[in-house]
Amino acid sequence: MNAPRAVIFDLGGTLVQWADWEDGAAAKWSVAYEAFLRAGGARAWPRGKRGLTSEAGAREGFVAAMRAAEKAHWERVDREHWSGPPTGLVSDGLRRLEVDVPEDVLIATMDGYAKAVAGWSTVYPDSRDTLVRLRERRYRIGLLSNTWWAAEWHNADLAAHGLAELLDVVVYTSDLPHSKPHPSVFAEVANRLEVPAQAAVMIGDRQIDDVSGAKAAGMRGVWRRNDSGFPTSSVAPDAIVDALSELPALLRSWGGA
């Protein structure tokens, strides 16, 4: 294995966290519902459909449909390592409601959700300092995230947290046909970083998506230990860390800078 020249970070659970992801999701989709109404979505609402006739019922139905679409999206990702554009998930949610809207209403609904999730994430205390140290040692630094969100939503958060300027390459699977652990996404980020896979190290909080996916693509895989209950893998990580601040010493032990 080559000495490390590049480090690729997962996003959620690795560089940043969404502490109340499940508890806060419904409120975010409720904001998207309001944007949907302002854009004229009510004209396409299925009148008289059971449970959707009252304002409260309509809002709850919208939120439930979008949450179901999210669940279906991630189940397909896990099953097929598939990916799709941000419009796909929202369109699926509307189909579940038997709602057909023009593109401007679809985009407005997505914009409403984007505003709701802006600033939702928080940065781990050692994320920025670790990125700075790695850049000082002239590592190429990439980000590879499984997501259905539009790239600009994530990029706005990264900029607000002061992380965007520290990343050489960002790759979101919403812009690709596949998701981690599919080998093509690791090849894509390595290609953009202009390093061979054997000289890249992937670090993430998921043993299958991040570690086993990276190792199958020829990279080293580092697991950021956590108790989130994600599926385990029979593929052993090359290293386990509890904090990103452990990375510089680990990379040096492998012959890196």
Side-chain angles (χ1 to χ4, degrees):
M1 187 72 76
N2 296 358
R5 291 169 44 202
V7 184
I8 304 161
F9 292 84
D10 171 53
L11 183 56
T14 304
L15 283 175
V16 306
Q17 62 178 332
W18 288 274
D20 62 340
W21 179 263
E22 287 300 321
D23 293 339
K28 304 299 188 288
W29 281 118
S30 185
V31 174
Y33 172 73
E34 294 168 2
F36 168 81
L37 292 182
R38 287 195 300 271
R43 291 192 296 270
W45 202 253
R47 296 183 182 278
K49 188 171 181 179
R50 186 175 181 182
L52 301 180
T53 53
S54 69
E55 164 59 22
R59 183 182 298 271
E60 290 172 5
F62 179 93
V63 171
M66 292 302 166
R67 294 289 282 146
E70 278 190 301
K71 183 174 184 290
H73 172 92
W74 290 115
E75 286 176 346
R76 186 175 177 188
V77 168
D78 288 342
R79 186 173 62 249
E80 303 175 18
H81 307 159
W82 162 91
S83 189
T87 52
L89 189 148
V90 178
S91 295
D92 180 35
L94 293 174
R95 278 194 297 271
R96 292 166 186 267
L97 292 166
E98 300 177 13
V99 172
D100 184 20
V101 299
E103 186 175 0
D104 63 321
V105 176
L106 178 64
I107 297 302
T109 304
M110 292 179 57
D111 285 346
Y113 183 80
K115 289 182 174 66
V117 300
W120 192 359
S121 66
T122 57
V123 181
Y124 286 107
D126 58 350
S127 291
R128 195 176 193 283
D129 287 347
T130 299
L131 293 176
V132 168
R133 290 182 65 188
L134 295 181
R135 288 190 69 84
E136 289 173 347
R137 298 185 184 187
R138 301 190 179 279
Y139 284 101
R140 296 280 287 164
I141 301 177
L143 174 73
L144 176 59
S145 177
N146 274 4
T147 182
W148 69 265
W149 289 11
E152 55 264 31
W153 303 357
H154 284 302
N155 289 341
D157 262 1
L158 291 173
H161 291 314
L163 300 181
E165 64 197 36
L166 302 173
L167 300 167
D168 297 302
V169 166
V170 293
V171 177
Y172 303 114
T173 57
S174 53
D175 294 326
L176 301 174
H178 297 287
S179 292
K180 294 180 292 184
H182 197 278
S184 66
V185 300
F186 295 95
E188 178 68 24
V189 69
N191 182 60
R192 295 191 196 183
L193 286 168
E194 300 179 319
V195 298
Q198 294 77 11
V201 176
M202 175 79 203
I203 177 167
D205 63 324
R206 301 193 183 217
Q207 293 184 37
I208 294 177
D209 292 354
D210 299 313
V211 175
S212 64
K215 288 176 69 71
M219 300 178 179
R220 288 184 175 94
V222 177
W223 181 46
R224 177 169 186 155
R225 190 179 353 236
N226 64 90
D227 58 2
S228 298
F230 297 130
T232 58
S233 171
S234 59
V235 177
D238 292 292
I240 299 173
V241 300
D242 294 298
L244 296 183
S245 56
E246 299 172 44
L247 273 179
L250 174 63
L251 296 171
R252 182 160 285 173
S253 75
W254 287 335

